[in-house]
Amino acid sequence: MEADELLVLVAGGDQKAFEELYGLVSGPVYGLVRRVLRDPAQSEEVAQEVLLELWRSAARFDPRRGSALSWVLTLAHRRAVDRVRSARAAGEREQREALRANHPAFDQVAEEVEAGLEREWVRICLDRLTALQRQSVTLAYYDGYTYREVAERLSLPLGTVKTRMRDGLTQLRKCLGGAA
Amino acid sequence: MSIADRLLGRGDLHSLAAPYALDALEPAERHRFEKHLKSCDSCAAEVRALSEDAVRLAWSAAAPPPSAMRDRVLAAVRTTPQEAPGRETARARAPQLPPHVWGTQPPPRSRASRPRLLLVPFATATAAAALVVASLFAVQANRTQEQLDAQRAQASEIANVLAAPDARATAGEDAEGRTIGVVASASKGRAIVTLRGYGGLPSGRVHQLWLMRPDVQPRSLGLFDGDTPLIASGLDKSAASLAVTVEPDGGSPQPTSQPVVQLALKSVGFGE
């Protein structure tokens, strides 16, 4: 069954449907959170929160506004980004960088997983963006920086960063169009 | 950008669609943009499209989660009530903390079958703590946005304690049947503490939570705000017990009265 149908059953309190939905979304949720947070223990915490929230607030899902998958991944991304920003605000950045150095790079971990076609396509398409488009998109999405922080890191005007982000996503869509 | 947009100063907001889709706005800006979205169909359409692009980025990061996570999530799901679809329904059914918060799981279906308050430790941490989390959300309906944000942050902190592999729960009852419940994680040095039945303090008095260790002055862990769970941090392995006293408003640097209830922490991994 598709995630959208399952989520409707979950909203009605169906635990079996939730188990099935867990099978579909836990990988993307955990992987995404891990990609943003890097730290495995924190990632597990945040991913758990997101999945429990999925159960709790399934009734809030409105299929007219997008797919179940984008709903849950949006939720997961926002939680991960909030967490990484509060860690940065608390001055845990050095600690995080150190953590990163001590752990295998995420991509190595991910390689152990069956590399999906989607992953490869996204990688190829990201490579086709200009450097500024790619950096603007990935610093924001995968590293949780706000567009102001991205502008600061890349020494670019705010307007340029906003444009690069939009162009980057649009280019990505064009490139991925053939991959669905 | 149209002339109308320029005149109304909307151009700047329009350009935030991509940063919004990437979650790259600061909270205040995000809020402002979301408000704008409600009245701007073209922005909403753009955001929808850009968000789907962002989801491709998300999907491509998929990785297998730890297998223990599945058991923990499914266990929590078995005891976590769901939100009702409509706001009105939520308001109607949530006038106060659900009666089963400190009871056994699963939540009782009828008054007749409701078990007595516990004298013994909870069956599992997840069962008890999931109910604490649920109760937090259940009382949200009538609160202001600020209170909601604070509660959300608190719920998330509680969920973090819950998620610790060593999270354990215990509860104690005093002579008058009032209970104190604790979910604690020794590795995180954190505990979630809830009182039940202690309400009705005279004005100007407040319940204060203390950390008790052998041969050391009690340390304040914070003040209770009614039924709301209190999150205590900075607990270490030597924490022997928790105690609650009645203090003047604002709390005291040291307890000025005998504890109304005290709870040993050995069963939840402390007290070494």
Side-chain angles (χ1 to χ4, degrees):
Chain A
M1 225 186 292
E2 297 273 329
D4 294 59
E5 299 167 71
L6 286 169
L7 197 49
V8 173
L9 295 176
V10 168
D14 186 334
Q15 295 184 7
K16 277 270 162 257
F18 182 83
E19 275 184 51
E20 205 176 320
L21 185 64
Y22 183 97
L24 287 179
V25 305
S26 61
V29 165
Y30 175 76
L32 174 62
V33 171
R34 173 102 192 246
R35 181 73 175 80
V36 175
L37 287 174
R38 316 263 171 165
D39 174 49
Q42 281 200 41
S43 305
E44 197 173 329
E45 276 175 30
V46 172
Q48 275 183 204
E49 269 176 44
V50 170
L51 291 160
L52 200 56
E53 166 100 23
L54 185 62
W55 162 258
R56 224 181 38 73
S57 59
R60 238 189 286 156
F61 168 65
D62 179 357
R64 287 165 303 181
R65 292 172 58 189
S67 70
L69 191 65
S70 42
W71 187 62
V72 61
L73 287 174
T74 304
L75 187 65
H77 188 256
R78 196 161 285 187
R79 286 282 178 91
V81 160
D82 285 348
R83 175 69 77 94
V84 86
R85 285 184 197 153
S86 64
R88 276 191 200 121
E92 291 171 23
R93 180 137 156 231
E94 276 84 353
Q95 202 186 333
R96 233 171 58 84
E97 299 293 337
L99 255 175
R100 196 182 303 196
N102 288 334
H103 283 282
F106 175 81
D107 282 348
Q108 271 171 273
V109 177
E111 289 301 343
E112 295 162 14
V113 186
E114 205 180 314
L117 188 61
E118 179 84 13
R119 181 198 303 279
E120 279 315 303
W121 265 106
V122 169
R123 188 170 300 177
I124 290 165
C125 291
L126 277 173
D127 278 344
R128 290 189 190 165
L129 304 182
T130 68
L132 285 183
Q133 287 172 350
R134 187 173 55 247
Q135 285 166 328
S136 302
V137 167
T138 57
L139 279 173
Y141 198 74
Y142 289 139
D143 295 298
Y145 289 103
T146 66
Y147 78 95
R148 287 175 201 281
E149 291 168 327
V150 170
E152 220 167 278
R153 286 174 78 92
L154 300 179
S155 308
L156 290 172
L158 286 177
T160 309
V161 168
K162 288 188 276 189
T163 312
R164 293 298 174 272
M165 283 177 173
R166 198 186 59 230
D167 293 350
L169 284 175
T170 311
Q171 283 301 114
L172 201 59
R173 185 188 316 160
K174 276 188 201 148
C175 175
L176 287 168
Chain B
M1 202 191 305
S2 74
I3 292 170
D5 290 339
R6 237 182 259 268
L7 288 174
L8 294 169
R10 288 188 303 209
D12 220 38
L13 279 171
H14 280 312
S15 70
L16 292 179
Y20 177 79
L22 292 166
D23 272 336
L25 298 180
E26 282 146 24
E29 222 168 8
R30 185 198 282 175
H31 187 68
R32 204 148 43 91
F33 185 71
E34 278 175 348
K35 238 167 99 180
H36 169 68
L37 270 183
K38 285 183 191 149
S39 61
C40 174
D41 290 343
S42 67
C43 315
E46 192 180 11
V47 162
R48 204 158 35 237
L50 292 171
S51 299
E52 289 297 327
D53 301 331
V55 166
R56 309 289 285 267
L57 290 169
W59 184 255
S60 76
S67 54
M69 191 175 105
R70 183 174 190 275
D71 298 339
R72 275 203 293 273
V73 171
L74 295 184
V77 157
R78 278 194 287 277
T79 53
T80 305
Q82 292 176 297
E83 229 176 54
R87 212 183 156 70
E88 280 313 304
T89 331
R91 191 185 307 253
R93 67 173 180 140
Q96 59 188 52
L97 285 175
H100 58 268
V101 164
W102 294 113
T104 48
Q105 55 132 333
R109 298 229 176 275
S110 71
R111 191 163 250 281
S113 69
R114 193 197 309 163
R116 264 181 50 76
L117 284 176
L118 285 191
L119 295 160
V120 293
F122 290 106
T124 66
T126 32
L131 289 172
V132 176
V133 174
S135 75
L136 268 181
F137 284 106
V139 296
Q140 280 186 2
N142 294 320
R143 307 288 166 102
T144 65
Q145 186 61 42
E146 213 171 328
Q147 284 170 319
L148 279 176
D149 288 346
Q151 284 200 324
R152 194 173 289 272
Q154 194 191 29
S156 147
E157 274 198 71
I158 290 175
N160 288 339
V161 176
L162 253 188
D166 67 341
R168 303 274 183 278
T170 186
E173 184 172 308
D174 71 4
E176 291 163 57
R178 304 175 294 190
T179 49
I180 177 171
V182 174
V183 179
S185 155
S187 69
K188 288 186 177 290
R190 289 182 157 231
I192 304 150
V193 187
T194 306
L195 296 181
R196 184 176 170 81
Y198 289 87
L201 279 181
S203 72
R205 310 291 280 175
V206 65
H207 282 119
Q208 190 165 5
L209 182 68
W210 303 95
L211 173 65
M212 316 295 279
R213 283 173 294 175
D215 309 318
V216 183
Q217 291 273 329
R219 177 158 73 80
S220 174
L221 292 174
L223 304 175
F224 281 97
D225 173 16
D227 280 340
T228 309
L230 177 66
I231 299 168
S233 56
L235 277 62
D236 60 30
K237 281 284 195 180
S238 71
S241 67
L242 297 175
V244 177
T245 61
V246 176
E247 300 294 338
D249 239 350
S252 305
Q254 285 298 317
T256 60
S257 60
Q258 285 299 309
V260 291
V261 66
Q262 195 160 355
L263 181 68
L265 292 174
K266 198 158 180 63
S267 68
V268 289
F270 291 89
E272 282 179 4

